[in-house]
Amino acid sequence: MNPLISIWTQPKQTIRYVLEYKTWSYSFFILFLVSVSVGITSFAETDILPDLSLPIMILLGILSSFIGAVISLFISSALYTWVGKWLGGKGNFKDMVQMSPIASIPLIWMIPINLLLVFIFGKNLFIDMMNTADADLFGTLSVVLLLTNLLILGLSIFNTVILSKGIGIVHQFSSWRGFSTILIVIGLFLALMIPFIIFLVFVLLAY
């Protein structure tokens, strides 16, 4: 079984296969590929690093995406494990870490598209288009990025479906309870962020 292919039509079987026959190194390899896919265009339209060469900008995007993905993996896996057990699950942190990157495999298939964007637009892809005087370039790139973002949104929804199934497999309960686990984790994150945002607003208003 090739998880890069089978995840599209057999997500549950693919996740069980990875948990049974693959190691952590395989899951981290998948996480790296996802980071490459996301990192290629992570600085698109930001104008953050205008003086750097295109290869360096892409390399920094991939590196920052991978570091962020690793940190997010351990934090989210811990929360999925804890909340899932609260909902009656029997899973463990090790299996959750190994499973979670598999849910993001569909995003890997964005690599050819993102490379094509870089090949066509070059450094223009990383410029803040609101500051450009080239109306034609602005219009074309805006439409292309809109379509790309819609595709990523669709893949992200599919990732959530796969993750729900994966959490269900690890915890030995239903996919719907796996989805509930995700929602609770998101709710906890928002509950922690709201006081910080309110504090930040008060600090900014004070100046």
Side-chain angles (χ1 to χ4, degrees), residues 33 36-38 40-41 105-120 148 151:
L33 290 180
V36 170
S37 179
V38 174
I40 291 172
T41 57
I105 284 179
L107 286 174
I108 294 175
W109 291 93
M110 287 295 297
I111 290 178
I113 296 175
N114 289 335
L115 285 175
L116 184 61
L117 290 177
V118 173
F119 178 77
I120 293 174
T148 303
L151 179 57

Side-chain angles (χ1 to χ4, degrees), residues 34-91:
V34 174
S35 300
V36 170
S37 179
V38 174
I40 291 172
T41 57
S42 62
F43 292 142
E45 288 196 293
T46 61
D47 215 8
I48 293 178
L49 306 169
D51 298 326
L52 297 180
S53 66
L54 183 59
I56 295 298
M57 291 172 67
I58 294 175
L59 182 61
L60 288 175
I62 293 173
L63 181 61
S64 61
S65 295
F66 182 66
I67 293 173
V70 171
I71 295 173
S72 176
L73 172 64
F74 283 104
I75 294 175
S76 62
S77 296
L79 291 172
Y80 292 148
T81 303
W82 174 66
V83 173
K85 286 186 175 181
W86 178 58
L87 294 177
K90 302 177 181 179

Side-chain angles (χ1 to χ4, degrees), residues 3-5 13 34 54 65 71 89 137 147 167 169 179 187 203 205:
L4 293 175
I5 304 297
Q13 294 89 328
V34 174
L54 183 59
S65 295
I71 295 173
L137 177 62
L147 294 175
I167 293 173
I169 289 171
F179 182 61
V203 170
L205 290 177

Side-chain angles (χ1 to χ4, degrees), residues 157-201:
I157 293 173
F158 187 46
N159 290 352
T160 302
V161 173
I162 299 172
L163 184 59
S164 300
K165 295 178 183 293
I167 293 173
I169 289 171
V170 171
H171 277 303
Q172 300 176 36
F173 53 41
S174 70
S175 300
W176 280 108
R177 197 175 294 186
F179 182 61
S180 298
T181 301
I182 297 173
L183 291 180
I184 292 173
V185 169
I186 293 174
L188 289 173
F189 176 76
L190 292 177
L192 291 173
M193 286 300 296
I194 289 174
F196 173 76
I197 293 174
I198 293 175
F199 172 76
L200 185 61
V201 170

